[in-house]
Amino acid sequence: MSATRTAPAHDLAPPVGEPVPGRARRPVPHRADAATAGVVFVVILMIVPARLVFRGLSFAITPAEAVGLFAMAWWFCAHFTDTLGVAKGRTFVRTMVFVYGASLLATYAYATAGFLPGDELDLADHMLVSATAMIGVVLLMVDGVRGRDRLDLVLKSVAVMGAVLGVIAALQFLFQIDPTRYMVLPGLRFTQEELFILERNGLSRVAATTGHPIEFAVVCAMILPIALHYAFRAHEQGKPSVRWWICATLIGAGMVFSVSRSAFVGLAGAAVVLLIGWPKVRRLIAAGAVLVFVVGVRLVVPGVLGAIITLFTGLSNDSSLRWRIMDYSAAATEIAKHPWLGRGLGTWYAPKYLVFDNQYILTTVETGVIGVLAFAGLFVAGIWSALRARHLMSDPAGRDLGLTLAACLVVPLIGAATFDLRSYAVVTGLSFLLVGAAGVLMREARHGRTATSPPVDPLRDRPAASPPLDPGLSPAGADGRPSTSPRTDPAR
């Protein structure tokens, strides 16, 4: 007869979830997920020069669009399984994405049903692929990113990459050094050799890695509220905030170095949203920060502020504004030919046709009234979702993030009226990413998940099941009564 040996105290393992005494707790790395793919998309979109495309393809595809196409394939496949953590269920943003995609398919079918010249048909194919990539980015965000911490990861990467663009812009503006010419990766080529540094009113206009100074300016105006959000939140929570203030300063400097009117018009719209929702103390801090920033710009680069002011005071003599107004009659004639579905996505291009420095006019010409309503509706859905999430959330950080995303999306909504936004890859990719981010926040708010909520089952929109009270209890429950059937997943 053998005796049962009792294990010594040092052999007993600590309870599951408890730290081992005397051993430092190491952070557990998060497995790769949709937020990881979102960060990869942000880095590639904003660091790889926008005019670099893959070699050897029949039409131009940027590395960021390749990530978007992968996201579209991932999203499609993920909805055939319950093991990849993708959210199920309808949201306003996702519904508007489907409406937008359906309008583009209808326009493509209508345009290709008749005769299209070869060059326009190639561009229609190219723009359909590009639009599919951008739709993939929205779906990757709205259905793939689960949890506020993962959403914060993506948005923080946007703020950091915006600061990096600010550094590149400073090198271009202050020292006439263009790092983009040394940033050509193997397998890529430039679509055009136009410089990333232009000139306006005797001053350099820089584009950083984007396709044009106007695009760079609007991108900075979109990112600045995000950097300010994390700077204010860190300051109010007693955490280190200097890094986020540096990011905000670099982004603001980049916007100034672009010497673009569109940026300040869009930023004014975003400021209206923020000032309405910000508390009084934050408004005062923001006013003081703006004053310090303006004085700093005046001392470092004296002529920039005067050039920017001239952009607004000299509107009557602005040739670019007169050119935009002259395009309206030609646009009206073309829209009358195909009022509902347009002449075809991507088929109106320069130098074959006039340039419309207005995305709403260009979209109406190419995709008709239905297409332009779907395009604008996508941004409206994002703004509504962000503000609705703010209303539903009780967490101050979540409420502030909702206000921030709404302000960010006001910028492209206004900017689309000042230049052909959809023709530029970086601002388009960032706009669609932020629409998806608003959808993520709305899904989080709708299901009551905040940073302090219980752990959430990554496959379902509900808290993870609690562990049983005793391994010996029957599945019927501790009180012996039959357990109720599991609740249907509300995210399906």
Side-chain angles (χ1 to χ4, degrees):
M1 181 175 178
S2 60
T4 302
R5 186 177 65 88
T6 301
H10 64 270
D11 287 344
L12 295 176
V16 176
E18 294 294 329
V20 178
R23 184 182 301 174
R25 178 178 294 178
R26 291 180 298 179
V28 179
H30 197 287
R31 67 177 183 177
D33 59 0
T36 309
V39 172
V40 172
F41 173 78
V42 168
V43 173
I44 293 177
L45 176 72
M46 301 179 69
I47 292 301
V48 178
R51 298 178 194 142
L52 284 177
V53 298
F54 287 105
R55 295 180 182 271
L57 298 181
S58 57
F59 46 76
I61 293 293
T62 66
E65 288 174 341
V67 176
L69 292 174
F70 168 80
M72 187 74 240
W74 172 87
W75 179 88
F76 184 79
C77 295
H79 276 74
F80 287 98
T81 179
D82 287 333
T83 61
L84 294 179
V86 64
K88 314 286 184 177
R90 184 183 307 136
T91 66
F92 189 25
V93 166
R94 202 170 79 165
T95 298
M96 286 308 304
V97 169
F98 291 156
V99 170
Y100 177 68
S103 70
L104 296 183
L105 288 176
T107 293
Y108 183 82
Y110 172 75
T112 55
F115 172 76
L116 275 180
D119 56 341
E120 295 183 13
L121 181 60
D122 290 342
L123 284 174
D125 294 339
H126 173 218
M127 291 301 295
L128 187 64
V129 172
S130 176
T132 301
M134 295 300 100
I135 290 174
V137 171
V138 180
L139 295 176
L140 173 78
M141 290 291 297
V142 75
D143 284 349
V145 177
R146 313 298 300 278
R148 277 275 309 287
D149 58 335
R150 305 305 289 168
L151 176 60
D152 283 336
L153 175 66
V154 177
L155 295 179
K156 286 179 179 179
S157 69
V158 171
V160 172
M161 290 301 104
V164 174
L165 292 190
V167 173
I168 295 175
L171 292 175
Q172 293 172 335
F173 186 89
L174 298 175
F175 305 104
Q176 300 297 306
I177 299 174
D178 187 7
T180 59
R181 64 181 61 191
Y182 308 107
M183 298 168 64
V184 182
L185 301 177
L188 303 180
R189 63 176 178 83
F190 277 109
T191 55
Q192 53 182 325
E193 296 300 328
E194 184 179 354
L195 298 177
F196 287 79
I197 304 175
L198 304 178
E199 187 173 320
R200 185 176 202 168
N201 295 336
L203 290 173
S204 297
R205 301 180 65 199
V206 300
T209 62
T210 66
H212 194 275
I214 295 179
E215 180 190 17
F216 175 54
V218 175
V219 166
C220 289
M222 292 173 62
I223 299 175
L224 184 58
I226 299 176
L228 292 176
H229 164 75
Y230 290 111
F232 279 120
R233 291 306 306 169
H235 175 73
E236 292 164 359
Q237 294 173 357
K239 298 179 181 179
S241 61
V242 174
R243 55 185 174 179
W244 298 115
W245 288 114
I246 292 175
C247 286
T249 302
L250 291 173
I251 294 168
M255 186 173 61
V256 171
F257 294 154
S258 68
V259 194
S260 174
R261 183 169 42 227
S262 299
F264 294 94
V265 173
L267 188 61
V272 170
V273 176
L274 292 175
L275 292 176
I276 290 175
W278 275 354
K280 183 178 180 179
V281 174
R282 187 177 290 191
R283 295 176 192 170
L284 295 176
I285 295 175
V290 169
L291 180 61
V292 172
F293 179 79
V294 170
V295 172
V297 171
R298 181 72 176 83
L299 294 176
V300 176
V301 192
V304 172
L305 292 180
I308 293 174
I309 293 174
T310 303
L311 295 177
F312 295 93
T313 58
L315 290 177
S316 59
N317 299 322
D318 194 325
S319 59
S320 64
L321 184 62
R322 290 198 304 268
W323 179 262
R324 286 182 172 93
I325 297 175
M326 289 172 57
D327 293 343
Y328 291 170
S329 58
T333 301
E334 193 63 33
I335 291 171
K337 298 178 182 177
H338 313 278
W340 297 111
L341 292 175
R343 70 192 312 275
L345 183 66
T347 59
W348 187 274
Y349 69 98
K352 186 174 182 178
Y353 302 107
L354 290 173
V355 176
F356 296 135
D357 284 327
N358 185 313
Q359 186 59 53
Y360 296 118
I361 293 178
L362 179 60
T363 301
T364 308
V365 169
E366 293 185 339
T367 63
V369 174
I370 296 176
V372 74
L373 291 178
F375 174 76
L378 197 60
F379 294 101
V380 172
I383 294 172
W384 182 89
S385 297
L387 294 177
R388 180 61 178 168
R390 172 181 168 83
H391 174 74
L392 295 176
M393 283 185 163
S394 59
D395 176 28
R399 289 173 53 82
D400 189 53
L401 183 58
L403 182 71
T404 299
L405 289 176
C408 292
L409 290 172
V410 166
V411 177
L413 193 65
I414 296 175
T418 62
F419 77 113
D420 47 337
L421 179 146
R422 187 63 184 85
S423 301
Y424 295 95
V426 178
V427 69
T428 299
L430 184 61
S431 299
F432 278 70
L433 179 90
L434 294 180
V435 168
V440 175
L441 193 65
M442 179 59 195
R443 191 187 290 278
E444 295 292 316
R446 189 178 65 182
H447 295 293
R449 296 206 302 269
T450 63
T452 58
S453 297
V456 176
D457 186 336
L459 301 183
R460 304 183 184 278
D461 285 336
R462 60 182 178 187
S466 301
L469 297 177
D470 191 316
L473 294 178
S474 65
D479 57 0
R481 292 179 296 183
S483 61
T484 57
S485 59
R487 179 171 58 87
T488 303
D489 185 359
R492 292 180 178 275

